[in-house]
């Protein structure tokens, strides 16, 4: 216990950084009376993707801690920002510094001015005429919390930080106010890009004197999680494991299919004279574009720390936050605005399917998509090697389509409109929407006919197509189909039109002849 008290005292007087926070939480969480698993700074365990794309990676990590003790008040913050272009397995180690300041508290003053907030895809900019801005925190219910920025401003200033929110969120600006903080809150959403408030704040004027700095390193990874699997998060001594959810999420001006992982975790310790609590929030969002290709990925981690002691030799407290944001964008990805959205199940996994003018987007891999009759879209989905055909309707409903193996395929000639054609006679036994395919006999145009009784009815040309050397047919089935080679419709329409024109010409000639004969008789 003496060692524990010593480390707690060191945490109150030493410069703060992410490593010190890690040590502090480790001490509390490893106390024998607690069996809470230890929570460390890393990003989600990732799986490589088969796509060999080049990604744009943006990363930031901020920390901010205010400590009070009989020896005085100290404020510590650190900042890491880095951008790079990388493939899906790049790692980069960078150095950064943490600065600790003695806080000299002055008189209470009133500060008035305008604060503006600008929101873009992955950035938030704050312009403040109010000084002593120390933290910018974003909170979106049921999704995440983020530390957008941390530091200290002496006067009018403009700051920008990475941030992501899906729909609407609260943006909390924390201003250093003596030995605490005062807040200004903005409600932001994706329908509006700029906000403004004219405010008046009473703040205790503070001046900061640098008392120490430390250098550290951190590693940035360009990888992203494997779809339809659990993800582990690690950050600043807190661990979290999250299951996936398939949904739509905002991505660069549109809502696209997304895999979302969210979790929160907590570590705490308390005695009659000492208390400590750390709360962590973790979010990962993978954005999927046309054919289920990776369009982007966002990972956010946020830890808030509160500690206090009433012991005379250790009296004081800690108010700390730290957070990282990683954004990955695939510049080659195609995506579009949703026209039709539906949700289906593939082998027990929820799958979002979105039809756009640019193709079909999905949380699953899209092996094939095809516009068929009556505005429907046939989609072949794949989740971890498990395939499923789905028929998507314009009203956002859907139907499962079974892939069936023909009972038999025989080659024989068939006569259509008095002409003989080579064909494959395909027998199937199924009900409901089904897809079957047969390998092409030869490289010729094909037409598909359904046998109804003793007659053949041509299948709509939108409901079959050739893919990878096979004729693929979507049917709500009859029992027998003919895949006919070299068939082209008889030119009945053009022939009939020609006969009509000839008839009109003959009629005109007859009329002219009758008129001429009538005149001669007169």
């Amino acid at each position: 216990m003496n060692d524990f008290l010593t480390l707690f005292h060191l945490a109150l007087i030493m410069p703060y950084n992410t490593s010190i926070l890690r040590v502090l939480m480790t001490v509390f969480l490893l106390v024998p009376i607690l069996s809470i698993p230890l929570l460390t700074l890393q990003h989600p365990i990732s799986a490589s993707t088969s796509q060999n794309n080049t990604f744009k990676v943006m990363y930031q990590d901020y920390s901010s801690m205010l400590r009070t003790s009989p020896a005085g008040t100290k404020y510590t913050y650190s900042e890491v920002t880095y951008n790079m272009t990388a493939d899906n397995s790049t790692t980069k180690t960078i150095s950064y510094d943490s600065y600790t300041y003695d806080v000299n508290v002055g008189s209470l003053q009133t500060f008035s001015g305008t604060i503006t907030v600008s929101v873009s895809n992955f950035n938030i900019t704050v312009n403040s005429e109010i000084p002593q801005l120390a933290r910018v925190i974003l909170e979106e219910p049921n999704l995440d919390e983020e530390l957008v920025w941390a530091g200290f401003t002496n006067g009018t200033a403009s700051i920008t930080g990475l941030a992501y929110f899906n729909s609407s969120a609260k943006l909390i600006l924390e201003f250093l106010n003596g030995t605490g903080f005062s807040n200004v809150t903005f409600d932001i959403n994706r329908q509006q890009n700029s906000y403004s408030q004219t405010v008046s704040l009473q703040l205790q004027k503070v001046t900061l004197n640098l008392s120490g700095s430390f250098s550290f390193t951190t590693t940035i990874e360009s990888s992203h999680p494997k779809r339809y699997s659990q993800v582990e998060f690690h950050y600043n001594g807190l661990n979290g494991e999250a299951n996936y959810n398939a949904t739509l999420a905002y991505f660069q001006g549109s809502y696209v299919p997304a895999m979302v992982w969210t979790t929160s975790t907590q570590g705490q310790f308390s005695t009659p004279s000492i208390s400590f609590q750390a709360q962590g929030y973790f979010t990962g969002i993978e954005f999927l574009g046309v054919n289920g290709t990776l369009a982007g990925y966002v990972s956010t981690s946020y830890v808030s720390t509160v500690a206090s002691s009433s012991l005379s030799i250790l009296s004081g407290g800690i108010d700390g936050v730290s957070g990282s944001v990683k954004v990955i964008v695939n510049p080659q990805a195609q995506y579009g605005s949703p026209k039709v959205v539906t949700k289906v199940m593939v082998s027990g996994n929820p799958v979002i399917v979105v039809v756009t003018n640019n193709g079909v987007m999905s949380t699953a891999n899209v092996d094939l998509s095809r516009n068929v009759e009556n505005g429907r879209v046939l989609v072949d989905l794949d989740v971890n090697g498990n395939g499923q055909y789905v028929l998507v309707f314009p009203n956002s409903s859907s139907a499962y389509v079974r892939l069936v193996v023909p009972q038999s395929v025989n080659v024989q000639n068939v006569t259509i409109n008095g002409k003989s054609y080579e064909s494959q006679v395909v027998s199937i036994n199924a009900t409901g929407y089904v897809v079957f395919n047969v390998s092409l006999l030869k490289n010729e145009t094909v037409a598909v006919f359904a046998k109804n009784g003793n007659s053949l009815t041509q299948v709509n040309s939108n409901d079959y197509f050739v893919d990878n050397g096979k004729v693929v047919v979507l049917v709500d089935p009859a029992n027998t189909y003919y895949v006919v080679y070299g068939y082209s419709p008889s030119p009945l329409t053009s022939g009939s039109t020609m006969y009509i024109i000839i008839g009109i010409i003959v009629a005109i000639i007859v009329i002219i002849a009758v008129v001429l004969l009538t005149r001669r008789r007169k």
Side-chain angles (χ1 to χ4, degrees), residues 322-492:
S322 58
S324 69
V325 179
K326 180 174 71 172
V327 177
I328 298 175
V329 175
N330 177 8
Q332 291 82 35
Q334 294 183 342
Y335 53 94
S337 298
K339 291 174 56 183
V340 177
V341 179
T342 191
K343 189 173 186 177
V344 299
M345 301 295 290
V346 176
S347 299
N349 298 296
V351 173
I352 301 297
V353 181
V354 178
V355 178
T356 77
N357 288 329
N358 292 334
V360 174
M361 305 188 297
S362 179
T363 51
N365 289 316
V366 178
D367 292 336
L368 177 149
S369 63
R370 172 81 180 188
N371 293 325
V372 294
E373 189 179 10
N374 299 325
R376 302 171 300 172
V377 180
L378 177 67
V379 185
D380 183 11
L381 303 170
D382 181 276
V383 176
N384 296 332
N386 299 305
Q388 174 68 63
Y389 280 96
V390 173
L391 194 60
V392 180
F393 295 84
N395 65 355
S396 293
S397 63
S398 61
Y400 295 101
V401 180
R402 288 193 300 139
L403 176 62
V404 299
V405 177
Q407 290 182 308
S408 64
V409 180
N410 299 309
V411 178
Q412 70 177 53
N413 289 339
V414 62
T415 300
I416 301 175
N417 295 332
K419 185 175 179 180
S420 180
Y421 298 91
E422 186 176 21
S423 71
Q424 292 167 292
V425 183
V426 183
S427 296
I428 62 172
N429 183 18
T431 58
Y433 291 105
V434 299
V435 164
F436 70 86
N437 62 66
V438 293
S439 298
L440 287 171
L441 290 176
K442 52 188 174 180
N443 188 22
E444 282 188 6
T445 58
V446 296
V448 178
F449 289 80
K451 186 175 182 181
N452 296 301
N454 294 322
S455 63
L456 295 180
T457 304
Q458 186 172 359
V459 175
N460 189 296
S461 60
N462 287 326
D463 288 348
Y464 61 87
F465 52 93
V466 175
D467 181 62
N468 292 326
K470 294 184 177 182
V471 183
V472 182
V473 186
L474 168 68
V475 292
D476 187 0
N479 293 320
T480 304
Y481 289 85
Y482 286 74
V483 179
V484 180
Y485 289 81
Y487 173 81
S488 59
S490 300
L492 296 176

Side-chain angles (χ1 to χ4, degrees), residues 7 38 49 73 83 174 180 209 269 346 354 374 420 491 497:
L7 284 173
L38 185 63
T49 174
T73 301
N83 296 335
E174 295 192 353
N209 295 318
F269 172 80
V346 176
V354 178
N374 299 325
S420 180
T497 302

Side-chain angles (χ1 to χ4, degrees), residues 1-5 7-8 23-38 268-271 274 276:
M1 188 64 177
N2 289 335
D3 291 339
F4 165 75
L5 292 175
L7 284 173
F8 184 82
V23 170
L24 179 59
M25 286 190 286
T26 301
V27 171
F28 278 97
L29 297 174
L30 288 181
V31 172
I33 63 172
L34 264 168
S35 58
I36 300 174
L38 185 63
Q268 61 183 5
F269 172 80
S270 63
T271 70
I274 298 174
F276 169 84

Side-chain angles (χ1 to χ4, degrees), residues 158-185:
S158 177
I159 63 94
T160 298
L162 288 177
Y164 175 83
F165 67 99
N166 181 53
S167 179
S168 59
K170 288 189 178 297
L171 191 69
I172 303 168
L173 282 55
E174 295 192 353
F175 294 85
L176 189 56
N177 185 7
T179 58
F181 296 94
S182 292
N183 298 345
V184 174
T185 301

Side-chain angles (χ1 to χ4, degrees), residues 2 15-16 31 45 89 324 331 502:
N2 289 335
Y16 172 75
V31 172
I45 291 177
S89 59
S324 69
I502 293 174

